[in-house]
Amino acid sequence: GGKGRVGERMGSYYIPPVNFGLVEDNLYRSGQPVELNHPFLEKLNIKKILYFSPEPPPPGFQSFISDQGIELLQLGAAIEEQKSALWSPMSEEVVLQALCEILDVENNYPICLIDSVGRNRVGIVVGCLRKLQRWNLTSIFEEYRRYAGSKVRILNEQFIELFDTDLVTIDKMHKPQWL
């Protein structure tokens, strides 16, 4: 019979998740993936996902993560978020914890940063990372705005601008090449 198995992929279209992007080698960012994006993500051989959300990932994505043997670290669960100031888009602790994971290339890569639309929380973390890389603020905000689109939040840019990179511990022996 000429019929393919059920579940066989139609052609080989790989569709990246919303707001997907490459931050550095093997360091990716994206919004919440849907099932359509799973084949694309599979190709990246992701080892760890930093998931910035008070809610756990949707069940379909959770299954995908466990099927792939990907380690999931959920950051910014409701309890942590309550500690942050009301005006603050996310707590400094969450950003520092995320950067600590991002700087551990040896154990965590390839790694992907995910929030609901790959815009605000991921944008802040990447912005603070760029600051650590000594990018100038104009370039940092330009990148942030490219992903945020019409949803730019001045408070997020303020958070990035005021972020104190001295709070980040960098292990000289194991730091990424791009730092």
Side-chain angles (χ1 to χ4, degrees):
K3 284 197 182 122
R5 287 196 327 269
V6 175
E8 219 167 45
R9 299 216 176 87
M10 302 290 297
S12 51
Y13 294 109
Y14 293 105
I15 301 159
V18 61
N19 263 332
F20 179 83
L22 180 67
V23 181
E24 289 296 342
D25 267 350
N26 287 316
L27 169 56
Y28 307 100
R29 60 178 295 166
S30 92
Q32 174 61 58
V34 295
E35 204 174 326
L36 203 61
N37 309 134
H38 293 178
F40 175 86
L41 290 174
E42 232 171 280
K43 286 247 170 270
L44 304 176
N45 294 313
I46 292 166
K47 189 171 176 183
K48 190 168 205 167
I49 286 173
L50 303 187
Y51 195 79
F52 300 93
S53 169
E55 311 296 319
F61 189 53
Q62 282 189 28
S63 310
F64 171 76
I65 291 168
S66 65
D67 290 348
Q68 295 294 311
I70 297 170
E71 192 186 334
L72 175 77
L73 178 61
Q74 186 179 350
L75 294 167
I79 290 128
E80 292 168 29
E81 289 295 283
Q82 282 160 6
K83 285 193 300 204
S84 68
L86 284 175
W87 58 267
S88 169
M90 64 199 291
S91 71
E92 203 170 56
E93 286 85 357
V94 170
V95 175
L96 289 170
Q97 196 183 347
L99 290 173
C100 182
E101 297 289 331
I102 291 167
L103 295 177
D104 188 356
V105 174
E106 221 166 284
N107 295 308
N108 292 335
Y109 280 55
I111 189 169
C112 189
L113 317 176
I114 296 178
D115 70 21
S116 54
V117 272
R119 206 164 36 208
N120 289 311
R121 290 174 175 173
V122 166
I124 289 171
V125 172
V126 171
C128 293
L129 176 68
R130 296 308 191 195
K131 233 182 133 170
L132 210 54
Q133 291 177 287
R134 295 188 169 51
W135 280 31
N136 67 48
L137 277 176
T138 312
S139 305
I140 292 173
F141 291 159
E142 199 274 318
E143 182 182 42
Y144 166 76
R145 289 171 187 155
R146 199 166 55 233
Y147 285 94
S150 62
K151 299 281 193 279
V152 167
R153 292 186 186 161
I154 299 306
L155 285 175
N156 291 354
E157 296 191 344
Q158 216 169 16
F159 183 100
I160 295 166
E161 187 170 352
L162 299 173
F163 180 72
D164 181 3
T165 53
D166 290 341
L167 297 172
V168 182
T169 315
I170 298 166
D171 178 351
K172 297 274 186 279
M173 299 294 291
H174 300 286
K175 68 176 193 157
Q177 277 127 356
W178 40 257
L179 201 60

